[in-house]
Amino acid sequence: MQPRYMNWLIPALALLKICFHLWFYDSLEPHRDELLYFSLGTHPAAGYASVPPLVGLLAFLLMKTIGFSALAIKIIPAILGGAILWLSARICKELGGKTFAQLLTVLGIFLAPVFVRPFYLYQPVCFDIFFWTLLFYFTILYLKSKQDKFLILIGITAGLGILNKHLIVLLLISLIIAFLVSNERKLLSKKTFLFAMLLCIAIASPNIVWQLSNGLSGIKHLSALNKHQLVYVDRANFLKEQLLMPGIFFLITCAGFGALLFYKQLKKYRLLAVAILVVIIVLLLAKGKGYYTAGVFPLCLAAGAVWWENHLKQWYLRAAFTTVLAGLSVFLIPMGIPTDTPENLAVYFKNFTSKYGMEGLLRHEDGKIHALPQDYSDMLGWEELTKITADGYARINDKSRILIYCENYGQASAVNILGKKYGLPEPVSFSDNYYFWAPRNIPATTDTFIYINDEPGEDIGQLFTDIQLVGKISNPLAREYGTQVYLCRNPRTSFSQFWNKRVKEIESPFH
């Protein structure tokens, strides 16, 4: 029988995890992707080209209720982090885990890298991990009880998960395959299962209709992602990341996967291991990114904790094992969450990589080694960029004649969201979803151009007689270091005609 104190200890630890993430809510600036998702919230819709609607709609609700702030960005991921802790402990308990196993699970959720950074950033990943874990939880409850109400809950969870990220469809297909090859296949012919599927489709239908009405933009985005990013994914690295993501807790997650497959006590849940195996094989063949499997780790962690609990009987072995796990994880926390100033973090990573030789942590998409991981560099420079843009904007008396252009969605989202306090209008860009929001025609009176990028192109130099550098991002730790803001005035010919012609030549970023 579980000690009574566990009934309050697990919720208390979940609350502690929430507070832990919120403690560092303003250590750095918002991430470029967080600014993008809040920009989606300024255009609420049933779908977007790069993501389903959930992150945009929740951002919209946050801005309409508590407004935009550093805390508003971090509050939902932090709450989901606490929810994952509680949920994982519940899964562990349902799998037969007692006090030690549940606390071991909680420790993993607190310290394993795969559960730190995702619940610090407002991105679809934290929601994805939550919905995957909830699906596994309800599946376990159904396998234990055979109660149809859990099938309904699975349908609801799946529908909401699709509204967040289409990747969850892979898990649903994998679960169906796992049921088909197991003794539980009769489930697939039950009316309640079919009703749950219809419920899932009904909940996801706004996005399904949006996709059909917008030329299946999600598929086009996936195609573009495969063409420009996934094609470079190395399959060996994908497998390596499955071990690196949980850090030292791979000792538990690997044991958990093995236990789901072979451990007699967990025989009833073997089909879950089959589903996980299908997910990994499909992503491996499709050259998926390593973190796409993040949603399977809470289950593997919980199952592994059960296995270790049953094989470490003596208290001193359990204490030693826990100490090793915690000791080898605590000093890695700055890799998952920015616990210090950017300058001190740069010193930390310099010392760490020089000592352990893991320079890959600091490799950005440009292939170069930088002072900070790319995620952290993506959380610097936005306030400065917005302030410089506001300075240029303030120099023009007639604001109706100004067009602000940004080269990428990070710059555009910073000006769009952070610029509201300066009264800046929404900028124009052709990056990500901004491509669909950009005006194809601008008023003939527009004759002032604020250009945010590197050096202006030759065409801009030929069009405007007065081009002034307003400023540039000066923080060398920022990924946007050196990005410049130009104020372009006095066009030699009609700027609107130039713009309208150039827009027609711009290709969608999703092709």
Side-chain angles (χ1 to χ4, degrees):
M1 184 176 177
Q2 177 171 286
R4 295 176 64 180
Y5 65 80
M6 290 293 285
N7 293 329
W8 61 261
L9 181 59
I10 298 299
L13 291 172
L15 181 61
L16 182 62
K17 182 170 176 64
I18 294 173
C19 294
F20 168 72
H21 283 273
L22 291 181
W23 183 263
F24 302 103
Y25 77 95
D26 61 349
S27 293
L28 301 178
E29 299 173 29
H31 191 282
R32 75 164 65 227
D33 289 349
E34 292 178 318
L35 292 168
L36 171 64
Y37 297 134
F38 271 78
S39 290
L40 298 183
T42 64
H43 295 263
Y48 304 97
S50 55
V51 291
L54 186 64
V55 286
L57 292 177
L58 287 177
F60 169 78
L61 292 175
L62 282 170
M63 289 188 288
K64 289 297 182 182
T65 51
I66 63 176
F68 176 84
S69 65
L71 182 61
I73 296 175
K74 305 299 184 186
I75 193 165
I76 290 182
I79 291 173
L80 287 176
I84 279 291
L85 186 147
W86 179 85
L87 196 55
S88 300
R90 291 294 303 178
I91 289 175
C92 181
K93 183 180 178 181
E94 295 297 336
L95 294 178
K98 298 179 177 60
T99 302
F100 177 68
Q102 292 179 49
L103 292 179
L104 200 57
T105 301
V106 167
L107 184 67
I109 297 296
F110 245 106
L111 297 178
V114 69
F115 303 121
V116 179
R117 191 176 299 179
F119 297 103
Y120 180 72
L121 298 174
Y122 183 82
Q123 295 177 337
V125 178
C126 61
F127 296 95
D128 207 38
I129 295 174
F130 174 74
F131 286 126
W132 280 50
T133 306
L134 199 57
L135 270 180
F136 282 129
Y137 178 56
F138 289 140
T139 302
I140 289 169
L141 292 179
Y142 173 78
L143 291 172
K144 288 188 69 173
S145 68
K146 295 299 189 293
Q147 293 183 37
D148 286 353
K149 66 179 182 180
F150 294 116
L151 296 179
I152 303 301
L153 291 172
I154 287 172
I156 294 172
T157 302
L160 293 173
I162 291 172
L163 291 178
N164 169 66
K165 197 171 184 180
H166 296 148
L167 181 64
I168 201 171
V169 174
L170 173 59
L171 175 60
L172 295 174
I173 294 173
S174 300
L175 282 170
I176 291 174
I177 292 173
F179 271 96
L180 274 173
V181 300
S182 74
N183 294 329
E184 302 287 344
R185 66 180 66 89
K186 59 184 179 181
L187 158 77
L188 303 179
S189 61
K190 294 187 67 169
K191 290 183 179 179
T192 309
F193 172 75
L194 297 176
F195 177 75
M197 286 185 63
L198 291 174
L199 187 58
C200 168
I201 293 171
I203 293 172
S205 61
N207 186 241
I208 294 173
V209 172
W210 186 92
Q211 289 288 340
L212 294 173
S213 302
N214 289 270
L216 298 175
S217 293
I219 295 178
K220 292 179 180 178
H221 175 249
L222 182 61
S223 176
L225 190 67
N226 182 66
K227 180 180 178 182
H228 300 293
Q229 293 186 32
L230 301 185
V231 69
Y232 301 110
V233 172
D234 182 83
R235 292 190 175 97
N237 284 337
F238 172 86
L239 293 174
K240 188 193 306 180
E241 286 181 46
Q242 306 313 303
L243 299 177
L244 293 177
M245 284 193 292
I248 189 61
F249 285 90
F250 83 90
L251 294 172
I252 301 180
T253 56
C254 288
F257 179 67
L260 287 170
L261 271 177
F262 306 114
Y263 194 35
K264 187 176 180 180
Q265 180 178 325
L266 301 178
K267 181 180 178 180
K268 183 185 297 184
Y269 312 107
R270 184 170 296 163
L271 66 87
L272 297 179
V274 174
I276 292 172
L277 191 59
V278 172
V279 167
I280 292 174
I281 290 173
V282 170
L283 290 175
L284 180 65
L285 294 176
K287 290 191 171 183
K289 295 182 179 181
Y291 73 87
Y292 286 178
T293 62
V296 310
F297 282 97
L299 171 60
C300 290
L301 182 70
V306 172
W307 187 87
W308 278 103
E309 181 179 58
N310 291 336
H311 287 78
L312 289 179
K313 299 293 187 180
Q314 294 83 1
W315 69 267
Y316 54 87
L317 291 179
R318 291 181 174 183
F321 185 56
T322 303
T323 301
V324 170
L325 292 174
L328 293 177
S329 298
V330 168
F331 81 102
L332 297 178
I333 287 178
M335 292 188 182
I337 194 168
T339 55
D340 210 330
T341 64
E343 293 74 20
N344 288 341
L345 285 170
V347 172
Y348 165 85
F349 281 104
K350 180 180 179 180
N351 293 336
F352 184 90
T353 54
S354 62
K355 186 174 182 180
Y356 299 104
M358 300 175 65
E359 288 189 339
L361 294 168
L362 302 176
R363 193 181 304 278
H364 290 198
E365 288 179 0
D366 61 7
K368 299 177 181 179
I369 301 298
H370 294 262
L372 291 175
Q374 182 168 299
D375 270 344
Y376 289 179
S377 292
D378 272 335
M379 289 189 268
L380 296 170
W382 305 120
E383 290 285 356
E384 183 181 17
L385 177 68
T386 307
K387 178 67 167 58
I388 295 169
T389 304
D391 289 345
Y393 188 73
R395 298 179 188 182
I396 307 302
N397 293 325
D398 188 351
K399 310 300 185 188
S400 67
R401 308 175 77 90
I402 304 174
L403 179 72
I404 302 176
Y405 171 81
C406 302
E407 183 66 19
N408 63 56
Y409 71 80
Q411 302 161 358
S413 299
V415 174
N416 187 25
I417 299 299
L418 303 178
K420 293 187 185 303
K421 59 189 172 188
Y422 299 108
L424 296 178
E426 180 173 303
V428 172
S429 179
F430 298 106
S431 175
D432 205 87
N433 285 274
Y434 281 91
Y435 172 83
F436 300 99
W437 306 333
R440 270 37 186 180
N441 294 283
I442 60 174
T445 55
T446 304
D447 59 5
T448 304
F449 190 46
I450 295 180
Y451 180 83
I452 302 174
N453 193 15
D454 298 322
E455 294 286 339
E458 189 175 314
D459 52 354
I460 299 297
Q462 293 176 351
L463 178 63
F464 291 94
T465 61
D466 182 7
I467 299 178
Q468 301 174 19
L469 175 64
V470 182
K472 58 184 178 181
I473 295 180
S474 59
N475 188 344
L477 297 176
R479 189 177 171 198
E480 291 282 338
Y481 174 58
T483 294
Q484 301 171 336
V485 179
Y486 288 90
L487 180 61
C488 309
R489 293 183 285 191
N490 302 330
R492 292 184 173 88
T493 59
S494 171
F495 176 55
S496 63
Q497 291 181 7
F498 166 84
W499 175 267
N500 299 341
K501 179 182 178 181
R502 287 299 302 271
V503 166
K504 295 177 182 178
E505 302 171 358
I506 303 296
E507 291 187 5
S508 169
F510 302 105
H511 286 167

